[in-house]
mmCIF file of all heavy atoms in Angstrom:
data_model
loop_
_atom_site.group_PDB
_atom_site.id
_atom_site.type_symbol
_atom_site.label_atom_id
_atom_site.label_comp_id
_atom_site.label_asym_id
_atom_site.label_seq_id
_atom_site.Cartn_x
_atom_site.Cartn_y
_atom_site.Cartn_z
ATOM 1 N N ALA A 45 -35.356 52.900 60.110
ATOM 2 C CA ALA A 45 -36.318 52.973 61.217
ATOM 3 C C ALA A 45 -36.887 51.595 61.526
ATOM 4 O O ALA A 45 -37.075 51.235 62.700
ATOM 5 C CB ALA A 45 -37.438 53.951 60.880
ATOM 6 N N ARG A 46 -37.157 50.814 60.495
ATOM 7 C CA ARG A 46 -37.682 49.461 60.724
ATOM 8 C C ARG A 46 -36.607 48.565 61.352
ATOM 9 O O ARG A 46 -36.918 47.749 62.208
ATOM 10 C CB ARG A 46 -38.214 48.851 59.432
ATOM 11 C CG ARG A 46 -39.485 49.507 58.927
ATOM 12 C CD ARG A 46 -40.583 49.374 59.944
ATOM 13 N NE ARG A 46 -41.783 50.065 59.494
ATOM 14 C CZ ARG A 46 -42.871 50.190 60.217
ATOM 15 N NH1 ARG A 46 -42.934 49.688 61.434
ATOM 16 N NH2 ARG A 46 -43.914 50.834 59.748
ATOM 17 N N GLU A 47 -35.371 48.720 60.940
ATOM 18 C CA GLU A 47 -34.293 47.958 61.591
ATOM 19 C C GLU A 47 -34.214 48.321 63.068
ATOM 20 O O GLU A 47 -34.071 47.441 63.922
ATOM 21 C CB GLU A 47 -32.944 48.208 60.907
ATOM 22 C CG GLU A 47 -32.786 47.449 59.616
ATOM 23 C CD GLU A 47 -31.379 47.546 59.047
ATOM 24 O OE1 GLU A 47 -30.414 47.316 59.809
ATOM 25 O OE2 GLU A 47 -31.258 47.841 57.842
ATOM 26 N N ALA A 48 -34.329 49.609 63.379
ATOM 27 C CA ALA A 48 -34.287 50.052 64.780
ATOM 28 C C ALA A 48 -35.464 49.492 65.566
ATOM 29 O O ALA A 48 -35.343 49.204 66.758
ATOM 30 C CB ALA A 48 -34.272 51.578 64.842
ATOM 31 N N LEU A 49 -36.589 49.310 64.912
ATOM 32 C CA LEU A 49 -37.762 48.725 65.570
ATOM 33 C C LEU A 49 -37.540 47.246 65.878
ATOM 34 O O LEU A 49 -37.841 46.777 66.978
ATOM 35 C CB LEU A 49 -38.991 48.889 64.663
ATOM 36 C CG LEU A 49 -40.246 48.156 65.092
ATOM 37 C CD1 LEU A 49 -40.983 48.966 66.150
ATOM 38 C CD2 LEU A 49 -41.150 47.909 63.894
ATOM 39 N N TRP A 50 -37.003 46.506 64.925
ATOM 40 C CA TRP A 50 -36.896 45.051 65.071
ATOM 41 C C TRP A 50 -35.633 44.592 65.809
ATOM 42 O O TRP A 50 -35.641 43.541 66.443
ATOM 43 C CB TRP A 50 -36.994 44.366 63.699
ATOM 44 C CG TRP A 50 -38.380 44.465 63.166
ATOM 45 C CD1 TRP A 50 -38.817 45.270 62.148
ATOM 46 C CD2 TRP A 50 -39.528 43.782 63.655
ATOM 47 N NE1 TRP A 50 -40.163 45.124 61.980
ATOM 48 C CE2 TRP A 50 -40.628 44.210 62.901
ATOM 49 C CE3 TRP A 50 -39.749 42.845 64.666
ATOM 50 C CZ2 TRP A 50 -41.915 43.752 63.108
ATOM 51 C CZ3 TRP A 50 -41.027 42.378 64.883
ATOM 52 C CH2 TRP A 50 -42.094 42.830 64.109
ATOM 53 N N ARG A 51 -34.556 45.349 65.750
ATOM 54 C CA ARG A 51 -33.296 44.898 66.356
ATOM 55 C C ARG A 51 -33.443 44.527 67.829
ATOM 56 O O ARG A 51 -33.048 43.431 68.231
ATOM 57 C CB ARG A 51 -32.188 45.932 66.167
ATOM 58 C CG ARG A 51 -30.823 45.413 66.636
ATOM 59 C CD ARG A 51 -29.653 46.194 66.086
ATOM 60 N NE ARG A 51 -29.650 46.369 64.644
ATOM 61 C CZ ARG A 51 -29.388 45.422 63.738
ATOM 62 N NH1 ARG A 51 -29.114 44.197 64.128
ATOM 63 N NH2 ARG A 51 -29.396 45.686 62.444
ATOM 64 N N PRO A 52 -34.021 45.374 68.694
ATOM 65 C CA PRO A 52 -34.125 44.980 70.113
ATOM 66 C C PRO A 52 -34.967 43.718 70.313
ATOM 67 O O PRO A 52 -34.659 42.894 71.175
ATOM 68 C CB PRO A 52 -34.792 46.182 70.784
ATOM 69 C CG PRO A 52 -34.730 47.297 69.816
ATOM 70 C CD PRO A 52 -34.526 46.709 68.453
ATOM 71 N N ARG A 53 -35.997 43.562 69.513
ATOM 72 C CA ARG A 53 -36.870 42.394 69.662
ATOM 73 C C ARG A 53 -36.165 41.111 69.245
ATOM 74 O O ARG A 53 -36.478 40.041 69.752
ATOM 75 C CB ARG A 53 -38.146 42.602 68.850
ATOM 76 C CG ARG A 53 -39.163 41.547 69.114
ATOM 77 C CD ARG A 53 -40.539 42.049 68.967
ATOM 78 N NE ARG A 53 -41.488 40.984 69.223
ATOM 79 C CZ ARG A 53 -42.739 41.025 68.877
ATOM 80 N NH1 ARG A 53 -43.218 42.095 68.271
ATOM 81 N NH2 ARG A 53 -43.537 40.027 69.131
ATOM 82 N N LEU A 54 -35.218 41.216 68.324
ATOM 83 C CA LEU A 54 -34.485 40.034 67.876
ATOM 84 C C LEU A 54 -33.255 39.757 68.735
ATOM 85 O O LEU A 54 -32.879 38.600 68.918
ATOM 86 C CB LEU A 54 -34.084 40.187 66.408
ATOM 87 C CG LEU A 54 -35.235 40.291 65.419
ATOM 88 C CD1 LEU A 54 -34.699 40.539 64.016
ATOM 89 C CD2 LEU A 54 -36.116 39.068 65.452
ATOM 90 N N GLU A 55 -32.617 40.802 69.239
ATOM 91 C CA GLU A 55 -31.407 40.617 70.048
ATOM 92 C C GLU A 55 -31.721 40.220 71.490
ATOM 93 O O GLU A 55 -30.956 39.502 72.110
ATOM 94 C CB GLU A 55 -30.554 41.881 70.004
ATOM 95 C CG GLU A 55 -29.911 42.087 68.642
ATOM 96 C CD GLU A 55 -29.068 43.344 68.545
ATOM 97 O OE1 GLU A 55 -29.135 44.205 69.456
ATOM 98 O OE2 GLU A 55 -28.342 43.474 67.540
ATOM 99 N N ALA A 56 -32.834 40.707 72.020
ATOM 100 C CA ALA A 56 -33.249 40.368 73.388
ATOM 101 C C ALA A 56 -34.751 40.105 73.372
ATOM 102 O O ALA A 56 -35.546 40.933 73.804
ATOM 103 C CB ALA A 56 -32.906 41.500 74.350
ATOM 104 N N PRO A 57 -35.147 38.969 72.800
ATOM 105 C CA PRO A 57 -36.572 38.717 72.623
ATOM 106 C C PRO A 57 -37.319 38.639 73.954
ATOM 107 O O PRO A 57 -36.831 38.030 74.900
ATOM 108 C CB PRO A 57 -36.630 37.375 71.900
ATOM 109 C CG PRO A 57 -35.245 36.883 71.779
ATOM 110 C CD PRO A 57 -34.314 37.889 72.336
#
Side-chain angles (χ1 to χ4, degrees):
R46 290 300 177 185
E47 282 188 49
L49 171 82
W50 289 106
R51 187 162 308 287
R53 188 149 180 197
L54 297 176
E55 289 179 348

